Amino acid sequence: MTDNPAWTIREAGAEDASALALIGAATFLETFAGILDGEAIVGHCAAQHTEAAYRTYLAAGARAWIAEAQPGGAPIGFALVGKPDLAAALEGDIELKRIYSLSRFHGSGLGAALMKQAREAARGHRRLLLGVYAQNERALAFYRKQGFADLGTRQFNVGGKFYDDLVLARPLGT
């Protein structure tokens, strides 16, 4: 468990699926409201950020870490890694499927702490991959600071509308 006066991080299990869904939808809306189409955001969150979706990820072998505000334990962020679902993936790769935190916790070290958990879980893999909205400059700066480099592009479906994503990779070594 990672500790900070404002938050703690612990590995999440199936019993945390509803909290993962809540923070996933909240942070997706917070990040993209006013940037992406509103109906597309609502549709995306209704399909992708559900308790059932996170239970499915975890049942398929994905691992997640949840950040909780202290005191109180309210969910404020998480990271999720699992089997890659990216065309650029090669044998030995793993994907950082989600790394989200509420914006008021940006700059607190939470993102770096969640990324550390993801990197540790990815140990033994060749590369850690992720997809990120091509116009999300804050996220891109964070990922590049964490050692990620451009690998390619993809189209990402958000509620039936397609947006340009960058696919990034970070070598992990052995």
Side-chain angles (χ1 to χ4, degrees), residues 1 3 5 11 22 36 46 52 59-60 82 122 125 156 168 172:
M1 179 182 292
D3 293 315
E11 189 155 5
L22 175 66
L36 304 182
H125 289 84
F156 188 70
L168 308 179
L172 295 169

Side-chain angles (χ1 to χ4, degrees), residues 2 9 65 79 99 109-123 128 142 146:
T2 302
I9 296 174
W65 295 265
I99 185 167
L110 179 57
L114 287 168
M115 183 64 77
K116 181 179 178 194
Q117 295 296 320
R119 281 195 323 269
E120 288 176 6
R123 210 176 275 145
L128 181 59
F142 171 75
Q146 295 292 320

Side-chain angles (χ1 to χ4, degrees), residues 82-154:
K83 182 179 174 188
D85 187 24
L86 296 166
L90 301 173
E91 186 68 32
D93 290 342
I94 190 166
E95 182 179 352
L96 177 61
K97 295 189 172 288
R98 310 261 195 282
I99 185 167
Y100 294 151
S101 68
L102 293 175
S103 64
R104 75 180 235 219
F105 293 92
H106 292 176
S108 72
L110 179 57
L114 287 168
M115 183 64 77
K116 181 179 178 194
Q117 295 296 320
R119 281 195 323 269
E120 288 176 6
R123 210 176 275 145
H125 289 84
R126 198 167 73 85
R127 298 181 301 181
L128 181 59
L129 307 179
L130 62 87
V132 60
Y133 179 52
Q135 304 302 313
N136 190 340
E137 294 298 327
R138 182 181 182 96
L140 286 166
F142 171 75
Y143 295 135
R144 290 190 172 118
K145 184 177 178 182
Q146 295 292 320
F148 286 84
D150 293 18
L151 182 63
T153 60
R154 71 170 176 181

Side-chain angles (χ1 to χ4, degrees), residues 20-33 36-54 98 100 156-160:
L20 296 173
L22 175 66
I23 198 66
T27 56
F28 197 88
L29 175 62
E30 181 182 55
T31 300
F32 294 112
L36 304 182
D37 179 77
E39 284 185 34
I41 292 170
V42 171
H44 176 79
C45 289
Q48 301 298 318
H49 294 291
T50 65
E51 184 175 342
Y54 287 98
R98 310 261 195 282
Y100 294 151
F156 188 70
N157 183 344
V158 177

